[in-house]
């Protein structure tokens, strides 16, 4: 689990024209991730209950890819560099999981 802190957000500044488009995509991403989250409930030995959510980020990949495209255009990335960014998770992080999905 990674908890995003206020300092993480405040240290990342945006100062370019794409912010309006990124604002919309960020809202779309947040809405999509909230639609796809799964509630988790853990009953502890002491009788207390810990409730949290598991976000199914892979289901929001199309929106994340759109965000990557906007950022790639702003930073002047080549098509090859953008392709690497978009497919990195698929190739290096989700390889086994995707293979399992294909086998089913």
């Amino acid at each position: 689990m990674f908890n995003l802190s206020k300092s993480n957000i405040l240290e990342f500044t945006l100062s370019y024209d794409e912010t309006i488009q990124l604002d919309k995509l960020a809202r779309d991403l947040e809405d999509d991730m909230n639609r796809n989250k799964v509630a988790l409930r853990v009953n502890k030995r002491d009788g207390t209950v810990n409730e949290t959510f598991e976000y199914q980020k892979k289901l929001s990949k199309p929106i994340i890819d759109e965000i990557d495209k906007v950022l790639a255009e702003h930073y002047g990335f080549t098509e090859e560099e953008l392709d690497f960014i978009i497919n990195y998770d698929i190739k290096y992080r989700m390889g086994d999981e995707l293979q399992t999905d294909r086998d089913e």
Side-chain angles (χ1 to χ4, degrees):
M1 292 182 132
F2 175 76
N3 293 315
L4 192 61
S5 69
K6 186 176 179 180
S7 65
N8 292 131
I9 294 169
L10 295 177
E11 290 174 9
F12 187 83
T13 58
L14 299 174
S15 61
Y16 44 89
D17 295 337
E18 290 88 351
T19 56
I20 293 170
Q21 187 177 6
L22 286 175
D23 284 345
K24 180 190 178 318
L25 287 169
R27 283 191 301 277
D28 291 348
L29 179 60
E30 183 177 10
D31 292 344
D32 194 59
M33 288 180 68
N34 280 322
R35 268 192 304 277
N36 295 314
K37 69 184 176 187
V38 176
L40 299 176
R41 183 181 176 127
V42 177
N43 296 314
K44 297 172 137 187
R45 289 183 189 179
D46 65 2
T48 60
V49 176
N50 186 10
E51 294 181 344
T52 188
F53 294 102
E54 179 179 277
Y55 290 89
Q56 307 294 311
K57 296 175 286 294
K58 65 183 176 184
L59 299 177
S60 300
K61 181 146 176 38
I63 299 170
I64 294 168
D65 290 348
E66 286 303 312
I67 292 169
D68 287 341
K69 289 175 188 174
V70 171
L71 293 173
E73 183 178 336
H74 172 72
Y75 289 109
F77 291 174
T78 65
E79 285 294 321
E80 183 178 80
E81 290 167 327
L82 175 59
D83 183 66
F84 177 83
I85 291 167
I86 287 175
N87 293 302
Y88 181 84
D89 280 339
I90 293 171
K91 190 172 182 181
Y92 298 103
R93 292 187 180 164
M94 296 173 51
D96 293 339
E97 182 178 327
L98 288 175
Q99 188 61 41
T100 302
D101 289 346
R102 288 186 193 132
D103 293 343
E104 293 176 356

